[in-house]
Amino acid sequence: MTIIGTSVRRKEASSKVTGRARYTNDMNVPGTWHALFVPARQAHAKIVGIHTADARKVAGVQTILTAGDLAPLLTGDVTEDRPPLAKDKVRYWGEPVALIVARDESAAQKAASLIKVRYRPLAVVNSIQDALKANAPLVHDNIGSYTVATPPASPRKHSNIADEANMIKGDPDRFLKKCSVRVKVQVSLPQIDHAAIEPRIAKAEILPDGRVLIQASTQSPFEVQKQVAKYFKLNPGQIIVQVPLVGGAFGGKAAIQLELLAYLASRAVGGHTVKLVNTREADMATSPVGMGMEAEVELGATQDGMIQAAQMRFYMDIGAYTDSAPRIARAIAAQCTGPYNIEHLHTDVFSVYTNHTYTTAFRGFGHMPMTFAVERAIDELAKALDQDPLRLREQNALAPGHLTPTKARLTRSNLGHLPLCIEQMRRVIRWNQAAVEPIDAHRVRATGVAAFWKTSSSPPNAISGAITLMNSDGSVNLNIGAVEFGPATKTTAAQILAEQLRIPIDQVFVHEDVNTAVDPEHWKTVASLSTYMVGRAVMDAADDMVRQLKSIAAAILRCSPDDLDYGGEKIFVRDDPTIALRYQDLALGYKYPEGDSIGGQIMGRGRFMIRHLNLLDQQTGHGRPGPAWTVGVQAVEVEYHRITHQYRILKAATVLDAGQVINPKAAAGQVMGGMNMGLGIASREAVHYDAQGQFLSNQFRSYRVMRVGEQAEQYLVEFVETPQVDSPFGARPLGEHGVLAIGAALANALSRAANIPLNVLPLTPEVIWRAKGGKAYGAL
Amino acid sequence: MRSLTRPEEVTLTINNEPREVIIYPGETLLYTLRGDALGLTGAKPGCENGDCGACTVLIDNIPTKSCLMLTVEVEDHSITTVEGLKHAPIQEAFLSQSAFQCGYCTSGFLMVGHALSLQGAADQGRLVEWLRSNICRCTSYQEICDAVQSVVRSEVE
Ligand code: FES
Ligand code: FES
């Protein structure tokens, strides 16, 4: 292998350092009209009236839509419960209530300021606790009437429970009681925002022939195509979705929201091109965020630290609408043990409606908050047993032959090697058995660890494809349906193609954007699955090209295709490589010296469909949620001040089983960026609501993410390489994983340093101070 | 007296070139730069209130958030956008350190890093202080700091 395993530069690198990389909002057709929505300024209220007459008088305003102007429509990834514009009542602060289309932005803004919505406030469901109270106000009055478009989901009638997923394995009640050591941990995590720096945007245009053109910053172009078709009774083929480079996504751009509004806006003005772009405030408060969670995890173990049984309850604050919550709930249920073998298990996951901003996938698809809960419990168990926390994790690690909570059988190939990761981590962070080391009178140094595993939770029929076209010089154009939003997805695909065709990487040209009209379908660019799925399709396309090259070369060279081999951009006779044809001689058909020609353009078709997956059984939770898992261990070293509760993050480290690393630098960058995000989330990020449910943190000054100088002083990444045999070159997914357990590792470090269990995020000095009893500083 | 509401023609010095554009007095520099007339879309809107730095350009070689500046304020100043960087060392440094992923914050960080490199020597504290004005959601910042450090240091040597 010459290209796999090397740090090739990402294909769009030079565009990105020259300002030439183009994102959706960088390409505007002159004459585009502006759409703007009016957000609710109540979290839960009946809409009594919407006064639009004054706004309509603003020069340049083309139309104003409210729910009353639209045919009844409910949308949703799983349960269809969300109207594109609030109907009858608003369910969260920020929910779109009216949609304005105007010639320009300022007219739209002026009109927005003139729209008066009259509300009758309802009691606000402002927390999971509020939602679960007896006689709680209902966020949705009649959830029993909703269509579950993509089962499974089990809404509970006349309640705020949008879904409930359960998992039972063995006999947890009996075995938990028998355990000599038991720990119970309750964690509480706020909602968080994806905070991609590019705000979400969608443009729509309807052509006179009925085709709908949508351009958007989305991770799911093919899903946008299908959903727009379904909701507006069009044929999917009529709908063309184009996605340029995307400026960060993190799961937040997998949800479909602005695309529907942009379509409605365009339709209302005769198909004119309309653009709808979020302000930062709308991107945070109106578009979906990441879920909050309250969870309780109880673990039981033997005296020598073998975990026997567990009982877990997860309550997710999914906000006002379901979106993908039931799928996330099942992902949590399926991996709820963490990468540990626990024979007896009972887990319930509840998706709870509140009057908060609705939620969608967030990097890790539920595994980050789930891992936080489980890894806090494991660390408390280590403390209760007085055991080395890494050793405890190692001795309970899942191994080939074990069954996952959903009874999927594990092999070395689909599981990877956690004990090797742990072994390597000891060296990487110079493991001191979690001892707390004093630095001076007030400061101590401590290290926390946590492990993770994750699989894709993809639908059992997820597909991908690749189309490759050879140019006259023998170079190859590669078309795939995966979006580029940062992880070098397209470059990875190019590496796989170059390796497989044995051509230099700069002979591969990738289409930076995705266009559903020309690119083969790719399920969604989510779940870190692109290397696996796209990669397999690309290999298939490369093989297809090689077959074509060989068959035409065989005719020209008068031999059997079996006599031929390839390399160096040539097809040659295996035992005499001087008898050869260059790719460029065959690319567009071969011209004989006599002038006549045969063949045609060399073009490869590659397909891939995920196999052997199934949906989890609703009663038992059994099934197979993904093709393979990625395992790893993370560590954080902190310096903590015992009086002020402030801390510095000295080191953050990840050792992850990556299978074969395709691009070491890109892979390390993904993991480092993930750690930084995870540490930001664990240390400072939180969506805050006031007592009326108003979203308070809708700017970067109120929703604080990591900035330079706050990151760990050192980021360390190492890989273990246990091949996943059915993946291209054995590579495993790693895009999301840096984020998964790093928050837990931070909490574990601080819990040791502060000598108190810290189970509430974000871990600000104030939160630690409260956990310590919240007393005055005394001597200070 | 200049009108406060009517469009007017102004001359801006952008990337060392005089450019005549018609603007509204209330227009932000970010808006003008990205508009059809100039098409300099390297500066990105990320928050339009000064928090994220994706819109950073240089005004007389000082990093400035173009979303917080009115175009009329910079008529007599020199504006440098990412499109004006021609093989600047900071660009090479970003490439070799892989200091970006999605790339949306990159123009802004490049401009801060470039300005720092023009300042000559800068200690770690200064570097952190300047780079704190911008947000990257993808990288760990270590890559960005390393890249900037490398061009700042080369100025010292
Ligand atoms: S867009 Fe100017 S600082 Fe964010
Ligand atoms: S590279 Fe994506 S925000 Fe910085």
Side-chain angles (χ1 to χ4, degrees), chain A residues 16-17 22-23 25-26 193-194 280 665 669-670 673 685 701 706-708 715, chain B residues 34 41 44 46 49 51 91 96 101-104 110 132 135 137-138 140-142:
Chain A
K16 284 182 173 170
V17 297
R22 293 202 190 280
Y23 305 79
N25 205 7
D26 296 336
D193 192 68
H194 306 84
R280 176 55 55 190
K665 220 163 178 177
Q670 276 302 296
E685 292 181 29
R701 58 192 65 179
M706 280 276 194
R707 285 182 188 263
V708 171
Y715 284 105
Chain B
R34 293 176 53 83
T41 54
K44 307 289 182 210
N49 69 357
D51 287 346
Q91 292 170 296
S96 56
Q101 289 176 26
C102 81
Y104 200 81
L110 284 168
R132 281 181 64 78
I135 297 173
R137 189 58 160 167
C138 299
S140 75
Y141 290 125
Q142 191 167 298

mmCIF file of all heavy atoms in Angstrom, chain A residues 16-17 22-23 25-26 193-194 280 665 669-670 673 685 701 706-708 715, chain B residues 34 41 44 46 49 51 91 96 101-104 110 132 135 137-138 140-142:
data_model
loop_
_atom_site.group_PDB
_atom_site.id
_atom_site.type_symbol
_atom_site.label_atom_id
_atom_site.label_comp_id
_atom_site.label_asym_id
_atom_site.label_seq_id
_atom_site.Cartn_x
_atom_site.Cartn_y
_atom_site.Cartn_z
ATOM 1 N N LYS A 16 -9.266 26.137 0.858
ATOM 2 C CA LYS A 16 -9.632 26.573 2.212
ATOM 3 C C LYS A 16 -8.642 27.575 2.801
ATOM 4 O O LYS A 16 -9.017 28.346 3.678
ATOM 5 C CB LYS A 16 -9.808 25.361 3.134
ATOM 6 C CG LYS A 16 -11.128 24.644 2.880
ATOM 7 C CD LYS A 16 -11.392 23.461 3.788
ATOM 8 C CE LYS A 16 -12.812 22.925 3.554
ATOM 9 N NZ LYS A 16 -13.052 21.637 4.241
ATOM 10 N N VAL A 17 -7.409 27.569 2.354
ATOM 11 C CA VAL A 17 -6.478 28.568 2.900
ATOM 12 C C VAL A 17 -6.358 29.805 2.011
ATOM 13 O O VAL A 17 -5.536 30.680 2.265
ATOM 14 C CB VAL A 17 -5.062 27.995 3.156
ATOM 15 C CG1 VAL A 17 -5.120 26.902 4.208
ATOM 16 C CG2 VAL A 17 -4.415 27.513 1.883
ATOM 17 N N ARG A 22 -15.993 27.385 -1.335
ATOM 18 C CA ARG A 22 -17.309 28.012 -1.375
ATOM 19 C C ARG A 22 -18.352 27.176 -0.621
ATOM 20 O O ARG A 22 -18.513 25.998 -0.866
ATOM 21 C CB ARG A 22 -17.746 28.222 -2.818
ATOM 22 C CG ARG A 22 -16.869 29.237 -3.522
ATOM 23 C CD ARG A 22 -17.579 29.829 -4.719
ATOM 24 N NE ARG A 22 -16.665 30.619 -5.521
ATOM 25 C CZ ARG A 22 -16.317 31.859 -5.207
ATOM 26 N NH1 ARG A 22 -16.798 32.442 -4.139
ATOM 27 N NH2 ARG A 22 -15.466 32.506 -5.981
ATOM 28 N N TYR A 23 -19.035 27.873 0.270
ATOM 29 C CA TYR A 23 -20.115 27.282 1.049
ATOM 30 C C TYR A 23 -21.430 27.827 0.500
ATOM 31 O O TYR A 23 -21.428 28.725 -0.344
ATOM 32 C CB TYR A 23 -19.920 27.626 2.531
ATOM 33 C CG TYR A 23 -18.552 27.194 3.035
ATOM 34 C CD1 TYR A 23 -17.413 27.955 2.776
ATOM 35 C CD2 TYR A 23 -18.390 25.993 3.732
ATOM 36 C CE1 TYR A 23 -16.162 27.541 3.200
ATOM 37 C CE2 TYR A 23 -17.132 25.577 4.166
ATOM 38 C CZ TYR A 23 -16.019 26.356 3.894
ATOM 39 O OH TYR A 23 -14.776 25.943 4.302
ATOM 40 N N ASN A 25 -23.714 29.858 1.342
ATOM 41 C CA ASN A 25 -24.028 31.290 1.333
ATOM 42 C C ASN A 25 -23.013 32.116 0.538
ATOM 43 O O ASN A 25 -23.108 33.335 0.487
ATOM 44 C CB ASN A 25 -24.121 31.808 2.772
ATOM 45 C CG ASN A 25 -24.998 33.043 2.871
ATOM 46 O OD1 ASN A 25 -25.639 33.450 1.903
ATOM 47 N ND2 ASN A 25 -25.009 33.662 4.040
ATOM 48 N N ASP A 26 -22.026 31.455 -0.052
ATOM 49 C CA ASP A 26 -21.038 32.180 -0.850
ATOM 50 C C ASP A 26 -21.429 32.242 -2.316
ATOM 51 O O ASP A 26 -20.728 32.840 -3.129
ATOM 52 C CB ASP A 26 -19.670 31.502 -0.729
ATOM 53 C CG ASP A 26 -19.138 31.555 0.683
ATOM 54 O OD1 ASP A 26 -19.557 32.452 1.437
ATOM 55 O OD2 ASP A 26 -18.316 30.694 1.043
ATOM 56 N N ASP A 193 -25.437 22.852 22.251
ATOM 57 C CA ASP A 193 -25.629 23.261 20.855
ATOM 58 C C ASP A 193 -24.470 22.748 19.990
ATOM 59 O O ASP A 193 -23.331 22.698 20.439
ATOM 60 C CB ASP A 193 -25.707 24.782 20.743
ATOM 61 C CG ASP A 193 -26.186 25.203 19.369
ATOM 62 O OD1 ASP A 193 -27.369 24.949 19.068
ATOM 63 O OD2 ASP A 193 -25.388 25.738 18.587
ATOM 64 N N HIS A 194 -24.798 22.409 18.746
ATOM 65 C CA HIS A 194 -23.750 21.933 17.841
ATOM 66 C C HIS A 194 -22.739 23.035 17.546
ATOM 67 O O HIS A 194 -21.561 22.782 17.419
ATOM 68 C CB HIS A 194 -24.356 21.454 16.528
ATOM 69 C CG HIS A 194 -25.434 20.428 16.711
ATOM 70 N ND1 HIS A 194 -26.740 20.768 16.978
ATOM 71 C CD2 HIS A 194 -25.405 19.087 16.662
ATOM 72 C CE1 HIS A 194 -27.468 19.665 17.095
ATOM 73 N NE2 HIS A 194 -26.680 18.627 16.904
ATOM 74 N N ARG A 280 -27.155 33.557 13.896
ATOM 75 C CA ARG A 280 -26.599 32.709 14.951
ATOM 76 C C ARG A 280 -27.664 32.432 16.008
ATOM 77 O O ARG A 280 -27.804 31.312 16.501
ATOM 78 C CB ARG A 280 -25.366 33.395 15.582
ATOM 79 C CG ARG A 280 -24.768 32.657 16.761
ATOM 80 C CD ARG A 280 -24.397 31.218 16.473
ATOM 81 N NE ARG A 280 -23.515 31.091 15.347
ATOM 82 C CZ ARG A 280 -23.195 29.929 14.781
ATOM 83 N NH1 ARG A 280 -23.668 28.790 15.244
ATOM 84 N NH2 ARG A 280 -22.400 29.895 13.722
ATOM 85 N N LYS A 665 -2.710 11.960 9.739
ATOM 86 C CA LYS A 665 -2.840 13.340 10.207
ATOM 87 C C LYS A 665 -4.312 13.754 10.299
ATOM 88 O O LYS A 665 -4.737 14.377 11.274
ATOM 89 C CB LYS A 665 -2.102 14.286 9.257
ATOM 90 C CG LYS A 665 -1.373 15.361 10.008
ATOM 91 C CD LYS A 665 -0.346 16.034 9.146
ATOM 92 C CE LYS A 665 0.318 17.133 9.953
ATOM 93 N NZ LYS A 665 1.371 17.779 9.172
ATOM 94 N N GLY A 669 -6.281 14.613 13.712
ATOM 95 C CA GLY A 669 -6.980 15.899 13.783
ATOM 96 C C GLY A 669 -8.433 15.732 14.189
ATOM 97 O O GLY A 669 -8.960 16.492 14.999
ATOM 98 N N GLN A 670 -9.081 14.715 13.612
ATOM 99 C CA GLN A 670 -10.468 14.432 13.981
ATOM 100 C C GLN A 670 -10.593 14.145 15.466
ATOM 101 O O GLN A 670 -11.485 14.627 16.149
ATOM 102 C CB GLN A 670 -10.959 13.174 13.225
ATOM 103 C CG GLN A 670 -11.454 13.423 11.851
ATOM 104 C CD GLN A 670 -12.582 14.396 11.864
ATOM 105 O OE1 GLN A 670 -13.639 14.138 12.404
ATOM 106 N NE2 GLN A 670 -12.360 15.555 11.300
ATOM 107 N N GLY A 673 -9.771 17.272 17.625
ATOM 108 C CA GLY A 673 -10.897 18.203 17.578
ATOM 109 C C GLY A 673 -12.064 17.687 18.401
ATOM 110 O O GLY A 673 -12.748 18.448 19.091
ATOM 111 N N GLU A 685 -20.169 24.226 28.387
ATOM 112 C CA GLU A 685 -21.312 24.452 27.498
ATOM 113 C C GLU A 685 -22.636 24.034 28.131
ATOM 114 O O GLU A 685 -22.740 22.966 28.712
ATOM 115 C CB GLU A 685 -21.096 23.682 26.192
ATOM 116 C CG GLU A 685 -19.952 24.248 25.377
ATOM 117 C CD GLU A 685 -19.743 23.506 24.069
ATOM 118 O OE1 GLU A 685 -20.714 22.967 23.519
ATOM 119 O OE2 GLU A 685 -18.592 23.470 23.605
ATOM 120 N N ARG A 701 -21.627 34.530 23.189
ATOM 121 C CA ARG A 701 -21.235 35.156 24.453
ATOM 122 C C ARG A 701 -22.021 34.568 25.614
ATOM 123 O O ARG A 701 -21.625 34.687 26.753
ATOM 124 C CB ARG A 701 -21.400 36.674 24.377
ATOM 125 C CG ARG A 701 -22.783 37.132 24.042
ATOM 126 C CD ARG A 701 -22.812 38.614 23.701
ATOM 127 N NE ARG A 701 -22.056 38.893 22.487
ATOM 128 C CZ ARG A 701 -21.938 40.095 21.944
ATOM 129 N NH1 ARG A 701 -22.510 41.139 22.532
ATOM 130 N NH2 ARG A 701 -21.255 40.277 20.836
ATOM 131 N N MET A 706 -15.197 26.430 23.703
ATOM 132 C CA MET A 706 -13.758 26.567 23.927
ATOM 133 C C MET A 706 -13.167 27.660 23.046
ATOM 134 O O MET A 706 -13.502 27.764 21.870
ATOM 135 C CB MET A 706 -13.057 25.275 23.535
ATOM 136 C CG MET A 706 -13.134 24.218 24.575
ATOM 137 S SD MET A 706 -11.827 24.497 25.769
ATOM 138 C CE MET A 706 -11.881 22.917 26.604
ATOM 139 N N ARG A 707 -12.294 28.419 23.597
ATOM 140 C CA ARG A 707 -11.486 29.343 22.806
ATOM 141 C C ARG A 707 -10.019 29.039 23.036
ATOM 142 O O ARG A 707 -9.659 28.318 23.985
ATOM 143 C CB ARG A 707 -11.778 30.785 23.214
ATOM 144 C CG ARG A 707 -13.114 31.286 22.690
ATOM 145 C CD ARG A 707 -13.361 32.719 23.074
ATOM 146 N NE ARG A 707 -14.717 33.105 22.717
ATOM 147 C CZ ARG A 707 -15.044 33.752 21.598
ATOM 148 N NH1 ARG A 707 -14.122 34.100 20.729
ATOM 149 N NH2 ARG A 707 -16.302 34.053 21.346
ATOM 150 N N VAL A 708 -9.195 29.611 22.191
ATOM 151 C CA VAL A 708 -7.751 29.401 22.320
ATOM 152 C C VAL A 708 -7.324 29.781 23.738
ATOM 153 O O VAL A 708 -7.759 30.795 24.275
ATOM 154 C CB VAL A 708 -6.980 30.250 21.288
ATOM 155 C CG1 VAL A 708 -5.478 30.214 21.571
ATOM 156 C CG2 VAL A 708 -7.274 29.765 19.875
ATOM 157 N N TYR A 715 -2.603 17.709 23.628
ATOM 158 C CA TYR A 715 -3.501 16.668 23.124
ATOM 159 C C TYR A 715 -2.665 15.519 22.594
ATOM 160 O O TYR A 715 -1.739 15.725 21.806
ATOM 161 C CB TYR A 715 -4.396 17.206 22.001
ATOM 162 C CG TYR A 715 -5.523 18.074 22.514
ATOM 163 C CD1 TYR A 715 -5.491 19.448 22.383
ATOM 164 C CD2 TYR A 715 -6.613 17.497 23.144
ATOM 165 C CE1 TYR A 715 -6.523 20.241 22.870
ATOM 166 C CE2 TYR A 715 -7.654 18.278 23.635
ATOM 167 C CZ TYR A 715 -7.607 19.643 23.496
ATOM 168 O OH TYR A 715 -8.631 20.426 23.983
ATOM 169 N N ARG B 34 -18.745 40.851 0.776
ATOM 170 C CA ARG B 34 -19.341 39.637 0.243
ATOM 171 C C ARG B 34 -20.353 39.906 -0.862
ATOM 172 O O ARG B 34 -20.814 38.973 -1.534
ATOM 173 C CB ARG B 34 -20.018 38.848 1.374
ATOM 174 C CG ARG B 34 -19.023 38.290 2.382
ATOM 175 C CD ARG B 34 -19.735 37.604 3.544
ATOM 176 N NE ARG B 34 -20.679 36.602 3.082
ATOM 177 C CZ ARG B 34 -20.362 35.352 2.757
ATOM 178 N NH1 ARG B 34 -19.111 34.947 2.862
ATOM 179 N NH2 ARG B 34 -21.272 34.513 2.335
ATOM 180 N N THR B 41 -15.879 36.524 -0.798
ATOM 181 C CA THR B 41 -16.656 35.723 0.149
ATOM 182 C C THR B 41 -15.774 34.935 1.111
ATOM 183 O O THR B 41 -16.271 34.087 1.849
ATOM 184 C CB THR B 41 -17.596 34.759 -0.600
ATOM 185 O OG1 THR B 41 -16.804 33.995 -1.505
ATOM 186 C CG2 THR B 41 -18.672 35.514 -1.362
ATOM 187 N N LYS B 44 -16.398 35.231 6.344
ATOM 188 C CA LYS B 44 -17.667 34.510 6.518
ATOM 189 C C LYS B 44 -18.504 35.111 7.626
ATOM 190 O O LYS B 44 -17.977 35.501 8.662
ATOM 191 C CB LYS B 44 -17.389 33.048 6.916
ATOM 192 C CG LYS B 44 -16.454 32.285 6.015
ATOM 193 C CD LYS B 44 -17.088 31.975 4.686
ATOM 194 C CE LYS B 44 -16.125 31.170 3.828
ATOM 195 N NZ LYS B 44 -16.328 31.431 2.413
ATOM 196 N N GLY B 46 -20.557 34.362 10.757
ATOM 197 C CA GLY B 46 -20.748 33.246 11.682
ATOM 198 C C GLY B 46 -21.661 33.645 12.824
ATOM 199 O O GLY B 46 -22.305 32.814 13.444
ATOM 200 N N ASN B 49 -22.111 39.453 15.203
ATOM 201 C CA ASN B 49 -22.115 40.354 16.352
ATOM 202 C C ASN B 49 -20.763 40.401 17.060
ATOM 203 O O ASN B 49 -20.664 40.775 18.219
ATOM 204 C CB ASN B 49 -23.229 39.999 17.336
ATOM 205 C CG ASN B 49 -22.964 38.679 18.023
ATOM 206 O OD1 ASN B 49 -21.980 38.001 17.723
ATOM 207 N ND2 ASN B 49 -23.809 38.306 18.947
ATOM 208 N N ASP B 51 -18.681 37.896 17.884
ATOM 209 C CA ASP B 51 -18.282 36.824 18.796
ATOM 210 C C ASP B 51 -17.363 35.777 18.189
ATOM 211 O O ASP B 51 -16.586 35.156 18.901
ATOM 212 C CB ASP B 51 -19.526 36.100 19.331
ATOM 213 C CG ASP B 51 -20.293 36.918 20.353
ATOM 214 O OD1 ASP B 51 -19.732 37.920 20.837
ATOM 215 O OD2 ASP B 51 -21.444 36.550 20.671
ATOM 216 N N GLN B 91 -0.382 30.797 5.343
ATOM 217 C CA GLN B 91 -1.169 29.833 4.555
ATOM 218 C C GLN B 91 -0.445 28.489 4.467
ATOM 219 O O GLN B 91 -1.034 27.433 4.643
ATOM 220 C CB GLN B 91 -1.428 30.395 3.154
ATOM 221 C CG GLN B 91 -2.357 31.597 3.166
ATOM 222 C CD GLN B 91 -2.418 32.291 1.816
ATOM 223 O OE1 GLN B 91 -1.416 32.824 1.348
ATOM 224 N NE2 GLN B 91 -3.587 32.296 1.193
ATOM 225 N N SER B 96 0.526 22.890 6.386
ATOM 226 C CA SER B 96 1.390 21.832 6.900
ATOM 227 C C SER B 96 0.980 21.386 8.302
ATOM 228 O O SER B 96 1.233 20.251 8.670
ATOM 229 C CB SER B 96 2.865 22.240 6.844
ATOM 230 O OG SER B 96 3.039 23.434 7.544
ATOM 231 N N GLN B 101 -10.417 22.032 9.394
ATOM 232 C CA GLN B 101 -11.175 20.871 8.927
ATOM 233 C C GLN B 101 -12.281 21.352 7.994
ATOM 234 O O GLN B 101 -12.119 21.317 6.784
ATOM 235 C CB GLN B 101 -11.726 20.071 10.118
ATOM 236 C CG GLN B 101 -10.601 19.347 10.864
ATOM 237 C CD GLN B 101 -11.063 18.617 12.095
ATOM 238 O OE1 GLN B 101 -12.209 18.204 12.215
ATOM 239 N NE2 GLN B 101 -10.150 18.425 13.040
ATOM 240 N N CYS B 102 -13.365 21.869 8.565
ATOM 241 C CA CYS B 102 -14.439 22.322 7.678
ATOM 242 C C CYS B 102 -14.024 23.577 6.918
ATOM 243 O O CYS B 102 -14.533 23.850 5.845
ATOM 244 C CB CYS B 102 -15.730 22.564 8.447
ATOM 245 S SG CYS B 102 -15.824 24.143 9.301
ATOM 246 N N GLY B 103 -13.115 24.351 7.491
ATOM 247 C CA GLY B 103 -12.573 25.504 6.788
ATOM 248 C C GLY B 103 -13.366 26.786 6.944
ATOM 249 O O GLY B 103 -12.947 27.834 6.435
ATOM 250 N N TYR B 104 -14.468 26.727 7.643
ATOM 251 C CA TYR B 104 -15.320 27.915 7.696
ATOM 252 C C TYR B 104 -14.706 29.019 8.547
ATOM 253 O O TYR B 104 -14.878 30.193 8.268
ATOM 254 C CB TYR B 104 -16.715 27.538 8.223
ATOM 255 C CG TYR B 104 -17.777 28.554 7.872
ATOM 256 C CD1 TYR B 104 -18.376 28.554 6.615
ATOM 257 C CD2 TYR B 104 -18.183 29.517 8.789
ATOM 258 C CE1 TYR B 104 -19.346 29.486 6.280
ATOM 259 C CE2 TYR B 104 -19.159 30.449 8.463
ATOM 260 C CZ TYR B 104 -19.734 30.435 7.210
ATOM 261 O OH TYR B 104 -20.698 31.360 6.888
ATOM 262 N N LEU B 110 -6.657 32.805 9.658
ATOM 263 C CA LEU B 110 -5.503 33.162 8.819
ATOM 264 C C LEU B 110 -5.180 34.644 8.955
ATOM 265 O O LEU B 110 -4.012 35.036 9.042
ATOM 266 C CB LEU B 110 -5.799 32.847 7.344
ATOM 267 C CG LEU B 110 -5.732 31.390 6.910
ATOM 268 C CD1 LEU B 110 -6.335 31.251 5.509
ATOM 269 C CD2 LEU B 110 -4.300 30.868 6.922
ATOM 270 N N ARG B 132 -7.819 34.341 20.685
ATOM 271 C CA ARG B 132 -9.061 34.141 21.441
ATOM 272 C C ARG B 132 -10.251 34.867 20.812
ATOM 273 O O ARG B 132 -11.402 34.630 21.191
ATOM 274 C CB ARG B 132 -8.911 34.652 22.879
ATOM 275 C CG ARG B 132 -8.170 33.724 23.778
ATOM 276 C CD ARG B 132 -8.087 34.276 25.183
ATOM 277 N NE ARG B 132 -9.417 34.394 25.799
ATOM 278 C CZ ARG B 132 -10.086 33.371 26.302
ATOM 279 N NH1 ARG B 132 -9.557 32.168 26.274
ATOM 280 N NH2 ARG B 132 -11.267 33.550 26.837
ATOM 281 N N ILE B 135 -13.353 31.688 16.877
ATOM 282 C CA ILE B 135 -13.779 30.355 17.324
ATOM 283 C C ILE B 135 -13.592 29.350 16.198
ATOM 284 O O ILE B 135 -13.929 29.621 15.045
ATOM 285 C CB ILE B 135 -15.268 30.346 17.727
ATOM 286 C CG1 ILE B 135 -15.509 31.273 18.926
ATOM 287 C CG2 ILE B 135 -15.724 28.932 18.073
ATOM 288 C CD1 ILE B 135 -16.985 31.443 19.266
ATOM 289 N N ARG B 137 -14.728 25.338 15.748
ATOM 290 C CA ARG B 137 -15.483 24.266 16.382
ATOM 291 C C ARG B 137 -14.943 22.890 15.979
ATOM 292 O O ARG B 137 -15.355 21.880 16.536
ATOM 293 C CB ARG B 137 -16.952 24.388 15.981
ATOM 294 C CG ARG B 137 -17.921 23.490 16.719
ATOM 295 C CD ARG B 137 -17.907 23.683 18.211
ATOM 296 N NE ARG B 137 -19.122 23.178 18.838
ATOM 297 C CZ ARG B 137 -19.250 23.005 20.154
ATOM 298 N NH1 ARG B 137 -18.239 23.262 20.967
ATOM 299 N NH2 ARG B 137 -20.380 22.562 20.663
ATOM 300 N N CYS B 138 -14.051 22.856 14.987
ATOM 301 C CA CYS B 138 -13.615 21.549 14.471
ATOM 302 C C CYS B 138 -12.279 21.097 15.044
ATOM 303 O O CYS B 138 -12.124 19.951 15.436
ATOM 304 C CB CYS B 138 -13.472 21.584 12.959
ATOM 305 S SG CYS B 138 -14.979 21.956 12.061
ATOM 306 N N SER B 140 -8.626 21.257 17.419
ATOM 307 C CA SER B 140 -8.367 21.318 18.862
ATOM 308 C C SER B 140 -7.693 22.622 19.255
ATOM 309 O O SER B 140 -7.350 22.792 20.408
ATOM 310 C CB SER B 140 -7.467 20.158 19.273
ATOM 311 O OG SER B 140 -6.136 20.409 18.848
ATOM 312 N N TYR B 141 -7.480 23.524 18.325
ATOM 313 C CA TYR B 141 -6.718 24.771 18.499
ATOM 314 C C TYR B 141 -5.212 24.522 18.546
ATOM 315 O O TYR B 141 -4.433 25.415 18.220
ATOM 316 C CB TYR B 141 -7.136 25.555 19.756
ATOM 317 C CG TYR B 141 -8.516 26.175 19.684
ATOM 318 C CD1 TYR B 141 -9.467 25.915 20.662
ATOM 319 C CD2 TYR B 141 -8.868 27.035 18.648
ATOM 320 C CE1 TYR B 141 -10.732 26.502 20.607
ATOM 321 C CE2 TYR B 141 -10.126 27.615 18.595
ATOM 322 C CZ TYR B 141 -11.056 27.342 19.575
ATOM 323 O OH TYR B 141 -12.298 27.917 19.524
ATOM 324 N N GLN B 142 -4.812 23.333 18.967
ATOM 325 C CA GLN B 142 -3.378 23.068 19.025
ATOM 326 C C GLN B 142 -2.767 23.247 17.641
ATOM 327 O O GLN B 142 -1.713 23.860 17.485
ATOM 328 C CB GLN B 142 -3.139 21.640 19.542
ATOM 329 C CG GLN B 142 -1.711 21.331 19.895
ATOM 330 C CD GLN B 142 -1.606 20.020 20.692
ATOM 331 O OE1 GLN B 142 -2.138 19.892 21.796
ATOM 332 N NE2 GLN B 142 -0.929 19.039 20.112
#
